[in-house]
């Protein structure tokens, strides 16, 4: 009893001193040293975006306050992929994706839809369904009409198709390719265009930023689509790079230019710079400095190209990054540290945006 009374008195004292309030008050982006990339980007007509991880989005107020403070473009990291959005044949689950779209609206941000079709996001009902070609075409049309229609007017750009070709330009194996054949690609773009004629429609892929086989394959792939009259507006270059694996800026700029000559926009869609496994030796500070230089170098190529209108980072705080699911090893590939404080990479973007 005595112990209980002492505890009670202490609790009353602590709360009346305002200690508990002080410890729970949330730190603001400004106090973290953040200036707002989006404000500067907006003045220059650039979209600066990030992928959004649903877990902290749902639970961590600091995550969402930094998100809205720094970015004017939001990309659901996983929540619009086929398997999550369409878990059963007759069931669509829009809950999480809708919450992100509502958040974007409330905070005056645009949304990039990622992605209608990806061979790595196929629900079991689909892969094990033994569907005929006609059935699968109906399913694909229904999916695209339903999803793009649901978000009509709310999504500026759709990654209609993700990572569908290999470095030789062959269309990768997928249920769509196997059962429908390569026409699935043109059909998907046509159906997406019918469902939302205002949305910009993109093909998104990795490893095609530098000059080389993959870049040529991608160029020929989208050129073929244009020649067939397929409604495609642009290409997403993912830009998952590393300290010793970032494209030569001139090659990257040349790629943007030749895609522009086709009339296509290019968005940088998933940039991060992995620091593990690199030959760069030395302290973490040294690696962060080099990482910042690479963010700046690639960002500069994008902002200098008239057809590069959006620059999206695959997350923003090292606290939540996809490295483990990608490489099996933890990393620090993003622009803010685990406490949401700016790294050299953040300052590099800020500096470029501040230049006249
Ligand atoms: C990744 C997500 O970041 C992970 O959380 C998920 O487990 C797998 O997918 N290229 C893409 C993205 O186009 O959709 C991928 O996102 C990363 C690689």
């Amino acid at each position: 009893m005595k112990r209980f009374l002492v505890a009670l008195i202490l609790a009353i004292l602590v709360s009346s001193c305002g200690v508990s309030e002080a410890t729970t008050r949330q730190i603001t982006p400004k106090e973290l040293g953040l200036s707002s990339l989006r404000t500067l980007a907006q003045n220059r007509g650039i979209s600066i975006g990030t992928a959004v991880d649903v877990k902290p989005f749902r639970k961590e107020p600091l995550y969402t306050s930094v998100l809205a403070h720094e970015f004017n473009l939001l990309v659901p990291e996983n929540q619009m992929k086929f398997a999550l959005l369409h878990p059963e044949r007759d069931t669509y689950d829009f809950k999480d994706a809708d919450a992100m779209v509502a958040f974007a609206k409330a905070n005056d941000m645009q949304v990039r839809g990622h992605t209608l079709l990806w061979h790595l996001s196929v629900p079991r009902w689909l892969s094990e369904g033994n569907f005929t070609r006609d059935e699968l075409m109906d399913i694909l049309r229904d999916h695209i009409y339903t999803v793009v229609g649901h978000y009509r007017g709310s999504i500026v750009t759709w990654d209609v198709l993700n990572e569908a070709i290999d470095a030789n330009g062959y269309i990768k194996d997928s249920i769509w390719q196997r059962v429908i054949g390569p026409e699935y690609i043109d059909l998907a773009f046509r159906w997406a265009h019918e469902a939302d004629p205002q949305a910009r429609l993109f093909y998104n892929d990795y490893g095609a930023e530098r000059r080389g086989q993959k870049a040529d394959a991608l160029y020929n792939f989208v050129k073929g689509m244009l020649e067939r009259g397929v409604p495609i507006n642009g290409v997403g270059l993912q830009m998952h790079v590393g300290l010793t694996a970032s494209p030569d800026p001139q090659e990257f700029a040349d790629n943007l230019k030749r895609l522009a000559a086709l009339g296509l926009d290019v968005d940088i869609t998933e940039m991060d710079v992995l620091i593990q496994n690199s030959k760069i030796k030395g302290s973490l500070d040294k690696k962060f400095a080099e990482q910042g230089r690479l963010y700046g170098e690639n960002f500069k190529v994008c902002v200098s190209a008239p057809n590069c209108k959006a620059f999206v980072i695959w997350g923003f705080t090292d606290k939540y990054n996809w490295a483990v699911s990608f490489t099996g090893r933890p990393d620090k590939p993003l622009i803010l540290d685990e406490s949401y404080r700016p790294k050299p990479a953040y300052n590099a973007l800020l500096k470029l945006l501040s230049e006249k």
Side-chain angles (χ1 to χ4, degrees):
M1 187 63 186
K2 203 171 159 198
R3 242 197 242 160
F4 170 76
L5 276 178
V6 171
L8 188 69
I9 290 164
L10 268 176
I12 290 167
L13 274 176
V14 163
S15 67
S16 66
C17 292
V19 173
S20 63
E21 197 192 319
T23 49
T24 55
R25 188 184 69 80
Q26 195 192 293
I27 190 163
T28 64
K30 228 176 167 178
E31 287 165 335
L32 289 163
L34 302 177
S35 307
S36 182
L37 295 173
R38 69 176 283 177
T39 308
L40 293 172
Q42 227 138 274
N43 296 340
R44 304 180 57 144
I46 299 168
S47 295
I48 179 108
T50 180
V52 172
D53 180 335
V54 71
K55 281 199 192 130
F57 174 78
R58 288 290 196 189
K59 286 200 302 245
E60 200 171 308
L62 188 54
Y63 183 91
T64 42
S65 79
V66 172
L67 169 64
H69 190 258
E70 292 300 319
F71 300 96
N72 58 12
L73 177 65
L74 178 156
V75 186
E77 182 169 347
N78 291 304
Q79 270 51 46
M80 288 186 179
K81 289 173 182 167
F82 199 121
L84 288 189
L85 216 49
H86 197 167
E88 299 297 336
R89 184 163 184 182
D90 299 317
T91 309
Y92 286 87
D93 180 359
F94 287 113
K95 206 172 10 52
D96 287 332
D98 280 359
M100 291 189 189
V101 171
F103 178 87
K105 271 201 184 125
N107 291 285
D108 196 20
M109 304 165 86
Q110 293 190 318
V111 183
R112 235 180 155 272
H114 176 80
T115 167
L116 296 172
L117 286 182
W118 186 28
H119 63 291
L120 295 180
S121 185
V122 175
R124 190 169 256 196
W125 65 267
L126 193 53
S127 57
E128 295 178 355
N130 278 321
F131 295 111
T132 64
R133 185 170 190 272
D134 281 350
E135 283 170 334
L136 208 61
M137 295 212 315
D138 282 348
I139 287 168
L140 182 56
R141 193 186 324 96
D142 176 69
H143 180 81
I144 292 175
Y145 277 4
T146 306
V147 173
V148 178
H150 183 81
Y151 292 115
R152 185 171 35 239
S154 301
I155 288 200
V156 278
T157 308
W158 269 107
D159 285 333
V160 176
L161 181 61
N162 197 35
E163 303 180 352
I165 55 168
D166 67 17
N168 298 310
Y170 292 116
I171 296 165
K172 285 183 192 164
D173 181 54
S174 69
I175 185 167
W176 313 109
Q177 165 73 358
R178 230 172 307 137
V179 182
I180 300 177
E183 304 89 285
Y184 87 88
I185 292 170
D186 294 6
L187 289 172
F189 277 84
R190 290 188 200 287
W191 287 329
H193 183 61
E194 283 167 21
D196 184 355
Q198 303 305 323
R200 299 158 83 223
L201 304 183
F202 272 55
Y203 172 67
N204 190 52
D205 212 334
Y206 61 87
E209 296 88 8
R210 68 191 67 236
R211 187 178 306 159
Q213 246 186 322
K214 183 73 179 270
D216 291 347
L218 179 140
Y219 175 82
N220 291 324
F221 179 67
V222 293
K223 186 162 177 274
M225 288 171 75
L226 289 166
E227 284 163 2
R228 296 193 297 276
V230 176
I232 175 170
N233 302 94
V235 165
L237 297 179
Q238 294 183 2
M239 194 70 81
H240 291 294
V241 300
L243 287 190
T244 50
S246 183
D248 173 79
Q250 191 54 53
E251 291 187 13
F252 175 32
D254 289 347
N255 266 332
L256 297 187
K257 213 167 174 184
R258 69 171 171 168
L259 289 164
L262 292 177
L264 293 173
D265 283 345
V266 178
D267 288 354
I268 302 310
T269 51
E270 307 186 12
M271 177 149 189
D272 53 10
V273 183
L274 297 174
I275 61 170
Q276 68 185 6
N277 261 346
S278 80
K279 292 190 195 88
I280 308 262
K281 296 278 170 259
S283 65
L284 197 56
D285 281 351
K286 198 171 157 207
K287 292 184 180 178
F288 280 174
E290 178 58 8
Q291 181 183 54
R293 193 184 69 73
L294 293 174
Y295 266 98
E297 185 172 272
N298 287 298
F299 189 46
K300 188 169 185 181
V301 173
C302 172
V303 293
S304 310
N307 63 327
C308 191
K309 295 167 184 154
F311 186 85
V312 181
I313 303 165
W314 209 236
F316 50 99
T317 163
D318 283 340
K319 189 171 181 187
Y320 305 105
N321 72 78
W322 79 299
V324 171
S325 64
F326 180 29
T327 63
R329 295 174 55 186
D331 208 304
K332 298 174 190 294
L334 298 169
I335 62 171
L336 306 180
D337 70 12
E338 283 92 346
S339 319
Y340 296 89
R341 292 186 192 275
K343 290 165 64 183
Y346 177 88
N347 294 326
L349 301 185
L350 194 68
K351 182 162 172 277
L352 271 163
L353 286 171
S354 313
E355 280 169 8
K356 285 277 164 272

